[in-house]
Amino acid sequence: MLFENFAYFKEYPIQMFYFWQGGFTFYGAFIVAGFGMVYYAYKKQINIPAYSDIAAPSIALGLFIGRLGCLLAGCCWGRPTDLPWGITFTHRHSFASPLGTPLHPTQLYESLLSLGIYIYLLWRGKHRGYPGQVAVHGLALYPLVRIFVEYFRGDAYRGFVMGGFLSTSQFISVAILLLVVPIAWYWKKKGKA
């Protein structure tokens, strides 16, 4: 809402809540849910790093499933391609554009990479060095996946920053990567104390 059509939502703020019309993004939900989780854990005196370790694999699994839903709807589509695995959307209600043209299956790219993150985080959970390590690894891996997949995305209406150098999602990914370093350092230091 902030990056795609802020002027419209400023004029019609009630439409921000019309979830049946789409428009929500993973990163928007992730950031709001993250603040909510930290607030809840703090209020209930729950160990935030350990709580985050429980949540991280589930988020990756949710991304795996969610991006399969994106594939079925045709949203989050890729740029045109002549690669043999390009997917052609033809249904008139598909979100993908242009119809009838092979596109990078970015939904599958992200879905399969998220499944890989899920499997890795489950393994990391069994070999955890400190509370929060699973979450930190998830916070580092997903932004790397997202930066990669964004290069193949074709839905440019989502917005760009830095003169079009980075998509909004790539920018958020870089910010998360920069934040994860001090979080990892602090949680590791705290976990060994």
Side-chain angles (χ1 to χ4, degrees), residues 3-4 29 45 58 81 84 94 98 130 135 157 168 179:
F3 296 102
E4 291 175 17
Q45 297 181 341
S58 302
T81 183
S94 172
Y130 57 91
Y157 68 88
T168 304
L179 284 172

Side-chain angles (χ1 to χ4, degrees), residues 77-165:
W77 66 90
R79 290 184 286 132
T81 183
D82 57 2
L83 293 170
W85 56 82
I87 293 181
T88 303
F89 294 89
T90 58
H91 196 280
R92 61 187 170 95
H93 293 298
S94 172
F95 289 103
S97 177
L99 295 177
T101 301
L103 305 173
H104 277 282
T106 52
Q107 310 93 330
L108 282 179
Y109 297 165
E110 190 167 332
S111 181
L112 294 174
L113 289 167
S114 295
L115 179 62
I117 292 172
Y118 169 71
I119 292 167
Y120 170 75
L121 293 180
L122 288 180
W123 175 85
R124 174 51 56 202
K126 293 178 182 176
H127 303 90
R128 184 172 70 155
Y130 57 91
Q133 187 178 28
V134 176
V136 164
H137 284 217
L139 280 171
L141 289 171
Y142 178 71
L144 294 173
V145 164
R146 190 63 182 263
I147 289 168
F148 168 76
V149 172
E150 286 287 312
Y151 283 112
F152 300 99
R153 294 271 296 255
D155 49 347
Y157 68 88
R158 296 170 304 109
F160 288 86
V161 296
M162 299 173 66
F165 180 68

Side-chain angles (χ1 to χ4, degrees), residues 58-72:
S58 302
I59 293 168
L61 182 61
L63 278 163
F64 163 68
I65 296 166
R67 289 303 181 198
L68 291 177
C70 291
L71 177 66
L72 296 175

